Amino acid sequence: MFVRIGGSRTDASILHADLDAFFASVEQRDNPRLQGRPVIVGGGVVLAASYEAKAMGVKTAMGGRQARALCPDAEVVEPRFSAYTRASKDVFEVFRDTTPLVEGLSIDEAFLDVGGLRRVAGSPAEVAARLRARVLDQVGLKITVGVARTKFLAKVASGVAKPDGLLVVEPDREFDFLHPLPVQRLWGVGPKTTAKLHALGITTVGQVAALDEATLLTALGGASGRQLNALAHNRDPRIVQVGKRRGSIGSQHAMGRGRHTMAEIDATVISLVERVTGRMRKAGREGRTVVLRLRFDDFTRASRSRTLARATSRTPIVLEAVRDLVAVAMPLIRDRGGLTLLGIAVGNLDDDSGQLELPFTDAASPTRAAALDRAMDGVREKFGSASLTRGVLLGRDPGVSMPGLPD
């Protein structure tokens, strides 16, 4: 599929490339019996669904029982993260062979700047078409590409073009494309913001653009109002950044439906904190902002955060902060009934400075605690993540660790 919005101008040169139903597509690629059939990756919780399954109402993060009820003919397969990681590396090799200006967003999507390739490789639309053909030919996967003048609009274009599409938005027709779209296409517009905008009678991006900024600030608050005003006018000055390190490191665990005891929640917190802080230390990163994310039985979400006095990657410090956040959120958890997902992340990351904390000589000093963290990391690195664990986690499902870009 190829769709061009606009005329002959070709200075839209930012590509957003996004693999289609990535995990499920890898399963269909590797098992011919699954091709053309509805595929669900993950039994307890849906990690990914093929477009055949999505057509039946199956969504990512949906409970497995509900997904199978919606799509009883689906093939349910266990995730193979090593296969997904290999496929991602192969796709990113194609990206980097196309242009050196590649900014990875996740394991299955990236921004590419092809503005300097016109003389050697043709227009951005032609580069994008060849990119899609190469990914299909060399990796065996379908990929959708949006092409536009800004990163924001390129990502919107790829979302509209899915699946297996290419959509070019020329600069002279940007608003013809953007303004008729529903407000949910704007970054940061979730269910709550959508409800606020609908209450004002605003359903399209064009209606957001027609509002003065002061009205948006009053309705949505300062940061959100300014962002939506800028995006509705396609103001996005960000460039494609090569080698950009992630701003946060996190992990999440699907809890399953129903109520959970405090002991179960705390065990999940411990497991997640150890996983995240271990990744931070391996990457040489420290962070100051600890975030707790929750999803409930009705698919609503909530988050709580705390900023620490100084950056750290130490497990006990992050664990204490997350436990405090859980305690604050417990009334909400009880009111909402079931807790279906719990996630944590540490943001405001810096490189590990190695600076020692006072006091230096206390028997329980930070340096000794940090040495313990490093010793435990070494054991797990050598003998596997399950070789050393806390007693409270014995016999518990640690959950899946989703593959991602390097930390």
Side-chain angles (χ1 to χ4, degrees):
M1 181 180 101
F2 185 101
V3 179
R4 177 180 291 275
I5 304 293
S8 59
R9 293 177 61 187
T10 56
D11 51 338
S13 58
I14 293 179
L15 278 55
H16 179 257
D18 192 2
L19 289 158
D20 297 326
F22 178 43
F23 292 178
S25 294
V26 172
E27 298 298 338
Q28 291 176 318
R29 179 197 68 178
D30 294 348
N31 186 348
R33 185 179 63 82
L34 300 179
Q35 292 177 8
R37 292 187 51 77
V39 175
I40 295 174
V41 179
V45 175
V46 177
L47 300 180
S50 69
Y51 279 94
E52 295 85 356
K54 290 180 179 181
M56 302 297 292
V58 178
K59 299 178 181 179
T60 301
M62 179 179 284
R65 184 178 301 176
Q66 182 183 3
R68 288 188 292 273
L70 290 170
C71 190
D73 295 331
E75 296 276 357
V76 180
V77 300
E78 289 300 312
R80 299 182 301 130
F81 292 132
S82 60
Y84 312 147
T85 300
R86 179 67 258 172
S88 174
K89 290 180 179 178
D90 292 342
V91 171
F92 270 78
E93 285 180 6
V94 176
F95 290 166
R96 296 189 179 100
D97 192 48
T98 300
T99 173
L101 302 179
V102 178
E103 179 184 335
L105 299 180
S106 67
I107 192 173
D108 59 350
E109 65 175 321
F111 285 118
L112 296 81
D113 188 334
V114 299
L117 303 181
R118 192 178 311 277
R119 290 187 178 180
V120 295
S123 71
E126 293 168 331
V127 173
R130 283 196 299 273
L131 173 70
R132 295 182 67 242
R134 287 188 61 191
V135 170
L136 182 60
D137 179 59
Q138 296 175 214
V139 191
L141 297 173
K142 294 178 180 179
I143 191 166
T144 296
V145 180
V147 186
R149 186 175 53 85
T150 65
K151 292 168 78 172
F152 159 68
L153 202 59
K155 187 172 175 67
V156 172
S158 69
V160 171
K162 276 187 169 291
D164 190 24
L166 169 59
L167 196 155
V168 181
V169 182
E170 303 289 6
D172 57 351
R173 300 299 300 278
E174 288 174 347
F175 296 144
D176 292 341
F177 165 72
L178 178 62
H179 284 177
L181 297 176
V183 292
Q184 293 92 326
R185 288 290 183 180
L186 295 172
W187 286 350
V189 177
K192 289 185 178 180
T193 304
T194 298
K196 291 179 181 178
L197 292 172
H198 285 182
L200 296 174
I202 298 170
T203 59
T204 69
V205 176
Q207 290 173 313
V208 175
L211 285 178
D212 61 273
E213 189 174 24
T215 302
L216 278 174
L217 295 179
T218 301
L220 305 177
S224 181
R226 280 188 289 271
Q227 174 176 294
L228 294 196
N229 178 266
L231 295 180
H233 293 90
N234 194 30
R235 293 197 295 267
D236 180 9
R238 298 170 306 149
I239 63 171
V240 173
Q241 298 184 53
V242 180
K244 180 182 178 182
R245 302 190 76 180
R246 64 172 70 238
S248 66
I249 295 176
S251 186
Q252 61 187 30
H253 179 75
M255 304 287 289
R257 301 176 75 88
R259 292 184 178 273
H260 303 279
T261 66
M262 190 63 218
E264 291 172 328
I265 293 173
D266 191 58
T268 300
V269 165
I270 293 170
S271 178
L272 290 174
V273 169
E274 289 196 332
R275 184 182 300 171
V276 168
T277 52
R279 285 172 54 194
M280 292 172 65
R281 291 189 292 271
K282 186 175 181 179
R285 313 294 300 278
E286 292 186 331
R288 291 188 59 208
T289 302
V290 179
V291 181
L292 171 71
R293 295 190 175 95
L294 307 169
R295 190 182 69 222
F296 304 100
D297 232 6
D298 58 0
F299 292 99
T300 59
R301 298 172 181 266
S303 63
R304 300 289 184 271
S305 65
R306 170 171 297 180
T307 299
L308 306 175
R310 69 182 301 274
T312 186
S313 61
R314 287 182 50 205
T315 298
I317 295 176
V318 176
L319 178 58
E320 180 182 6
V322 175
R323 280 173 163 166
D324 288 345
L325 293 173
V326 170
V328 171
M330 278 308 298
L332 180 61
I333 294 173
R334 294 191 186 99
D335 289 345
R336 296 287 179 87
L339 179 65
T340 59
L341 183 140
L342 192 153
I344 72 157
V346 180
N348 283 341
L349 296 179
D350 296 312
D351 291 339
D352 185 351
S353 64
Q355 181 177 343
L356 299 177
E357 297 179 46
L358 293 171
F360 298 128
T361 57
D362 191 316
S365 71
T367 48
R368 294 189 60 179
L372 177 60
D373 282 339
R374 289 194 296 271
M376 294 173 67
D377 292 341
V379 171
R380 289 171 176 146
E381 180 75 21
K382 186 173 182 178
F383 299 105
S385 59
S387 62
L388 183 64
T389 190
R390 297 177 187 243
V392 70
L393 300 180
L394 286 174
R396 293 185 180 272
D397 177 13
V400 296
S401 182
M402 298 289 281
L405 295 172
D407 293 320

